[in-house]
Amino acid sequence: MRILVVEDDPVLMDGLKVGLGLAGATVDHATTCADARAALEAARFDAVVLDVMLPDGSGLDMLAGLRARGDATPVLLLTALDEAPDRVRGLDGGADDYLGKPFDLDELSARVRAIARRGHGRAGPLLKVGALVLDPATLAATLDGKSIALSRREFAVLSTLMERPGVIRSRMEIEERLYGWQEEVESNAVEVHIHNLRAKVGRETIETVRGLGYRVRGPA
């Protein structure tokens, strides 16, 4: 997953970046509504974690603007305003979920995974293509019931392809899921990860569509 975290507290931001990163997410961050809007216009995210009280305005107003222009990116509101009327206002205002501060990081990660998979039109927690199964909650992978050791970025590449079996994903799409703004993208990184994955899950599982990108073959 690629997640945008909008939070102006630097200590909390650092904790969120580390915690969500350990859970397998690529995390970008913004500290203001203006920066968050610019980020959402420039890149695609699987989910947004949005504080309500920001230096240049309300996260609720920003959320209303997103929904008004048809942006359906899943949003979890993360805020100290945690009374029932606050939660109702946030959810009715277009949020997909709402979590009060203080919070448990494991619960936050689970909630982000849930809204992200719903955003992809998927109800179940596992990604399955034939005998290949990924568990985003534990970053575990199995093939024919046997465990496969994947690096965090190999898991991210494979999960990106398995979210939509048979659909071609371009190299740029995959890179966006792997790297945040501050990370340098190596020119052949995707090709290297694809090569390593084929050695682990079978060469026939991942197809190269010349000039377009890659796809995971769906079950016959």
Side-chain angles (χ1 to χ4, degrees):
M1 295 184 297
R2 187 176 182 184
I3 308 300
L4 176 64
V5 176
V6 189
E7 170 61 61
D8 63 321
D9 181 330
V11 176
L12 180 54
M13 172 64 76
D14 287 344
L16 288 169
K17 289 183 70 175
V18 171
L20 291 171
L22 289 173
T26 298
V27 182
D28 288 310
H29 73 274
T31 58
T32 65
C33 293
D35 288 345
R37 290 189 193 98
L40 287 161
E41 289 173 1
R44 287 172 292 185
F45 294 91
D46 296 292
V48 177
V49 176
L50 177 62
D51 191 9
V52 170
M53 297 181 290
L54 294 164
D56 61 341
S58 166
L60 290 172
D61 291 339
M62 182 191 136
L63 175 60
L66 291 179
R67 298 307 187 227
R69 72 169 190 252
D71 189 328
T73 303
V75 174
L76 180 147
L77 291 175
L78 184 67
T79 175
L81 301 174
D82 194 32
E83 297 297 323
D86 300 313
R87 296 194 296 272
V88 170
R89 182 184 177 199
L91 293 168
D92 282 346
D96 298 271
D97 202 352
Y98 196 110
L99 187 61
K101 300 176 183 177
F103 58 90
D104 179 84
L105 190 54
D106 288 338
E107 181 183 1
L108 172 65
S109 297
R111 288 175 179 269
V112 169
R113 285 192 297 271
I115 65 173
R117 69 173 176 257
R118 290 198 298 269
H120 289 293
R122 188 166 49 85
L126 303 180
L127 291 166
K128 299 181 181 180
V129 176
L132 182 60
V133 181
L134 300 186
D135 184 349
T138 61
L139 302 183
T142 59
L143 179 62
D144 292 321
K146 298 178 181 178
S147 179
I148 308 168
L150 300 179
S151 71
R152 184 179 74 84
R153 283 187 167 153
E154 288 171 352
F155 191 97
V157 172
L158 190 54
S159 62
T160 298
L161 297 174
M162 288 179 62
E163 283 169 358
R164 301 173 67 191
V167 175
I168 300 169
R169 308 301 291 265
S170 70
R171 188 178 75 172
M172 182 176 294
E173 284 183 88
I174 297 171
E175 286 175 345
E176 286 182 347
R177 298 288 290 275
L178 291 178
Y179 299 99
W181 296 323
Q182 307 299 322
E183 297 179 279
E184 183 178 350
V185 181
E186 297 180 16
S187 60
N188 66 336
V190 171
E191 288 82 357
V192 170
H193 292 312
I194 293 291
H195 173 80
N196 293 338
L197 284 168
R198 282 173 170 156
K200 296 177 180 182
V201 304
R203 185 170 186 83
E204 70 287 349
T205 301
I206 302 175
E207 178 186 5
T208 299
V209 182
R210 191 171 299 278
L212 296 176
Y214 305 92
R215 65 184 170 194
V216 162
R217 295 177 182 272

